[in-house]
Amino acid sequence: MDDVPLLEMRIPRGKLPRRRLMTFLGLCAGCGALSVLLKVTDTPGSSAARACAVAFLLVSAGAAAAIRGDNPAFTTDGVRLKAFFWDRGQVLVPWSEIERMWIARPKGTGGEYAFLYILPQNPDRYRRSGDFLRASLMARLAADQGSALQIHLPVDGLSQDRIRAAAEELSAGHCHVD
């Protein structure tokens, strides 16, 4: 089996985003129920509970948008990933256009999780400018992390050594993950 060439390696999202989504949805439902209870009993705080329910619902919608679609993958053609977390489709960055790839922990997260960062030779080609918010957030990510193109590496997913080996194999030695 080891001599069969690898054609694609998907990078699973892991269980953590789904757990967070369910947690936020549960908090949304709890705040909504508390809002109704406070309203029925004429107790102050109904508006605050309703505001919390809406806030948790918005966070849940964002989390659901981030986990929809296909998992990112290494293919023989390049790296397939979302250019931005709420994009429906994915972009393919060919191996020949990748200047650098590295694994790092984002600043300000306390080192909880890691990302695979992909720096293409022409980053502007992969930054979608569908709206001002997306463009400004991608520019901010690129300034903070070195690249706006990134793949979340869940703790319960593939090992970093496996990712490095697959990148080397699928790129035919063209790309190395630092």
Side-chain angles (χ1 to χ4, degrees):
M1 275 312 260
D2 287 340
D3 52 346
V4 176
L6 187 62
L7 299 175
E8 179 177 282
M9 185 190 76
R10 291 180 183 248
I11 301 173
R13 289 189 190 92
K15 297 173 187 163
L16 185 62
R18 288 178 180 84
R19 282 191 200 132
R20 284 189 180 162
L21 174 62
M22 296 312 294
T23 300
F24 286 125
L25 284 173
L27 289 169
C28 175
C31 288
L34 180 62
S35 169
V36 170
L37 179 66
L38 292 174
K39 184 97 171 152
V40 167
T41 60
D42 276 341
T43 308
S46 174
S47 296
R50 197 168 33 251
C52 287
V54 169
F56 285 123
L57 183 63
L58 291 174
V59 170
S60 299
I67 63 173
R68 72 178 182 196
D70 290 335
N71 287 340
F74 291 165
T75 70
T76 53
D77 296 326
V79 180
R80 191 178 66 226
L81 71 158
K82 290 182 182 184
F84 200 62
F85 58 86
W86 64 61
D87 282 343
R88 274 203 173 112
Q90 294 182 328
V91 297
L92 178 72
V93 183
W95 293 113
S96 61
E97 292 183 23
I98 295 175
E99 185 173 309
R100 182 175 174 233
M101 294 173 61
W102 70 99
I103 295 174
R105 301 198 184 290
K107 300 172 189 169
T109 62
E112 276 183 56
Y113 46 88
F115 279 87
L116 171 68
Y117 294 97
I118 295 116
L119 181 62
Q121 293 169 355
N122 181 7
D124 292 333
R125 180 176 176 189
Y126 298 98
R127 288 190 193 135
R128 296 193 180 165
S129 58
D131 54 39
F132 174 74
L133 178 63
R134 177 191 323 234
S136 64
L137 285 174
M138 287 187 82
R140 175 67 187 235
L141 278 171
D144 288 350
Q145 309 301 335
S147 177
L149 297 179
Q150 51 191 293
I151 300 171
H152 175 254
L153 299 177
V155 176
D156 54 348
L158 297 169
S159 73
Q160 292 181 10
D161 290 337
R162 179 68 184 118
I163 289 168
R164 286 182 175 92
E168 182 107 11
E169 180 180 341
L170 288 165
S171 72
H174 178 76
C175 290
H176 307 280
V177 178
D178 299 335

